[in-house]
Amino acid sequence: MKDIDVIAVLQDPVRRRLYEYVVAQGREVGRNEAAEAAGVARTLAAHHLDRLTEVGLLESGSRRLTGRSGPGAGRPAKVYTRARVERSVSLPARDYRTAAELLAEAAEQAGLDAGLCAAARRRGEALRGSAAPCGGLEEAMEMLAARGYEPHLEGAEDAEGAEDAEGAQDAEGAEGATGAAARVVRMRNCPFHAVAERFPPLVCGMNLALLEGLLGADGPVRARMDSRPGECCVVVETSKNNGD
């Protein structure tokens, strides 16, 4: 199936809501959870989720959602995550990825890392324009989301789970225990992923410099390198000399 046909599957509003919800979680999602989030019946959600899997936008598997094993643990449930394959459409056809890879290869061989980072930092500053440096993590998340990074606050899910299970007081204690980890913004998507896979030091350094320019060097947040599998190599956090 061509990419344009795959992307057209998302034209259905319910299907798109389900896809966007699964993608936003960054983990396996069961049918009941997805149905509740989209506000539809489980059978309808299952139909759309399976269709999204069929065309390659989602991947499916099975596991016991209770976390238990052995007799009495129940049957494994079907779960879904975003597919690893990348889809794109350009009319007329364009091949910017090949051009980017060739330029990255030439820059790496010529040792142009410093020049590339300087250019990326200037571009970030130009994108910010005359605005002041980013004022906090919430504002940073809005800026990052607008550029396709899919930011999420590290520890937020754990804190919510603690609050549901133990009450607000225990949740506050959990947040205190995690400390700075709860104030780190990680990103589930790297807009430069395809090229970064082939030239990680070069492209990740460029990415860091771009975000440094975009966020501003003198504000209450800063970008730094902290790679994790399946996520962007850069994170954003509260600066040491500032609270947020």
Side-chain angles (χ1 to χ4, degrees):
M1 182 177 287
K2 295 182 179 179
D3 282 3
I4 191 170
D5 296 318
V6 172
I7 294 173
V9 170
L10 294 173
Q11 183 175 359
D12 183 285
V14 174
R15 196 172 292 161
R16 183 163 184 171
R17 287 204 306 272
L18 288 164
Y19 173 77
E20 290 176 343
Y21 179 78
V22 172
V23 167
Q25 304 318 300
R27 55 172 172 79
E28 294 177 329
V29 175
R31 287 172 168 175
N32 288 340
E33 179 186 348
E36 183 177 353
V40 298
R42 182 183 183 278
T43 52
L44 180 60
H47 166 73
H48 284 307
L49 290 167
D50 286 342
R51 177 58 178 159
L52 290 166
T53 302
E54 179 184 336
V55 301
L57 288 170
L58 296 180
E59 294 178 355
S60 65
S62 61
R63 68 177 177 85
R64 290 186 174 90
L65 298 179
T66 61
R68 301 194 305 269
S69 60
R75 297 175 57 187
K78 201 164 187 178
V79 291
Y80 303 84
T81 57
R82 175 164 53 186
R84 290 181 289 271
V85 66
E86 183 176 311
R87 304 284 185 178
S88 64
V89 175
S90 176
L91 298 173
R94 296 288 187 263
D95 188 7
Y96 299 115
R97 174 173 172 175
T98 297
E101 289 178 347
L102 289 171
L103 290 168
E105 182 178 355
E108 187 175 75
Q109 292 178 353
L112 300 178
D113 303 55
L116 177 62
C117 287
R121 192 170 288 105
R122 289 195 299 271
R123 174 59 63 91
E125 292 170 351
L127 291 171
R128 180 162 48 90
S130 59
C134 184
L137 289 183
E138 287 72 22
E139 182 182 344
M141 290 179 71
E142 292 180 5
M143 297 170 68
L144 294 166
R147 303 203 63 80
Y149 284 93
E150 298 181 8
H152 66 101
L153 193 62
E154 184 179 65
E157 295 87 352
D158 295 338
E160 290 174 3
E163 186 172 352
D164 291 340
E166 304 294 341
Q169 183 175 359
D170 291 343
E172 290 173 1
E175 183 175 353
T178 57
R183 305 303 297 165
V184 172
V185 173
R186 294 190 176 273
M187 295 167 270
R188 295 193 174 103
N189 182 53
C190 172
F192 316 111
H193 174 73
V195 188
E197 278 196 318
R198 289 196 58 190
F199 309 95
L202 181 78
V203 178
C204 290
M206 176 200 75
N207 189 18
L208 174 61
L210 177 70
L211 293 183
E212 286 174 342
L214 181 66
L215 299 173
D218 302 322
V221 297
R222 66 170 186 133
R224 65 175 174 85
M225 202 77 73
D226 187 6
S227 298
R228 275 191 182 180
E231 294 187 331
C232 180
C233 58
V234 179
V235 300
V236 174
E237 65 184 6
T238 304
S239 299
K240 293 182 180 180
N241 297 326
N242 293 275
D244 189 24

